[in-house]
Amino acid sequence: MIKIIDSIMGSGKTTWAISYMNAHPEERFLYVTPYLAEAERIQTACPALDFVQPTEEISKSASLNMLMQDGRNIAITHELFSRMQMPPTIQKTITDYGYTLILDEVLEVLMPIPVSKQDTKMIFDTEKIAVDEEGQVTWLDRDYKGEFVHLKRRADSHTLQWYKESIFLWSFPVKILKAFSNVFVLTFLFSGSHMKSFLDVHSLPYEIYHIQDGELAEGEQDLAPAKARIRQL
C-alpha cells in the first residue's frame, strides 16, 4: 500500500520517518531524498540500521543493485532512483526482503528528453527504434554505443515513449513501485502533483495521512492553524 503523508513544511515528516525506521529494525529500507546531505542525515540519525550509500567503483546504479541483493538499508537521491534498473532478479530481491520505500518528496514521473528534429529523423530513418501503437519505444540496434546511448538505456528499461509523433518522453517505471512491500511519500499539496495523476492512471491505490503532534494521522491536514500562523509573517 502507498501511504501519502501530506503535511505542510516543518510539520515533522522527516522526523516521523526517522522515528519509524528506528522503531522497525526488522524492515529493510530504501530512503530516497532530493539531496545528498539529507541521505547523510539519515545515516547519522539511524545508526543501528547501518544505512549505506552506493559508490562509484563500478557505477552507482550497479552498486545500488548489489547493496539491495545484500539486503542493506540504503539512502540515495531522487536522481539515482530515477535511473534505477529493474531486472527480474532485483525485483525479486526487493519483494523477498520486503523492502519499504520512503520517498522524501514526490517523484518526477515524466520528463521530456531533448533530441533535435534532425537527430530524431536520423534515428527513425536508420531504423534504430520501433514504436508500438501505445508509443512505447524499443531500441532495435542491440550493439549500439553511440551518442544516443542514453535513449537506448531508457528504451531497454521500458521507460521511453514517443509522444504524439513529436517528442521523446521518459516515464517512471511503475513496476518499481509495485515491487516494494510498503511505500511512504513525504510531501505537501499532493493533489496538485504529477505523481498523483501517475498513480491514478496506473490504478495504484493510496491512502492520505498527515502528521499531527508528531504522529501519523489519517486523512488530510487541517491547514487553518498553520495558515493563521503563516499569515502573520
Side-chain angles (χ1 to χ4, degrees), residues 28-29 66-74 93 97 99:
R28 302 294 205 286
F29 295 99
M66 292 174 63
L67 291 171
M68 298 200 85
Q69 287 173 333
D70 290 339
R72 303 294 299 274
N73 293 315
I74 310 164
T93 293
Y97 277 120
Y99 264 96

Side-chain angles (χ1 to χ4, degrees), residues 128-186:
K128 291 288 189 292
I129 65 174
V131 181
D132 69 16
E133 59 185 15
E134 295 183 353
Q136 186 74 44
V137 175
T138 299
W139 198 274
L140 301 176
D141 186 351
R142 307 312 305 165
D143 299 322
Y144 180 81
K145 293 181 171 62
E147 180 180 353
F148 301 104
V149 69
H150 64 292
L151 289 180
K152 179 181 183 299
R153 283 197 297 265
R154 289 179 167 89
D156 289 345
S157 62
H158 307 289
T159 62
L160 187 64
Q161 301 277 330
W162 176 240
Y163 183 67
K164 289 192 175 182
E165 299 185 356
S166 62
I167 189 171
F168 288 106
L169 289 176
W170 169 85
S171 60
F172 186 82
V174 67
K175 63 182 179 180
I176 290 183
L177 292 180
K178 291 181 176 180
F180 289 89
S181 295
N182 296 293
V183 178
F184 295 97
V185 183
L186 317 179

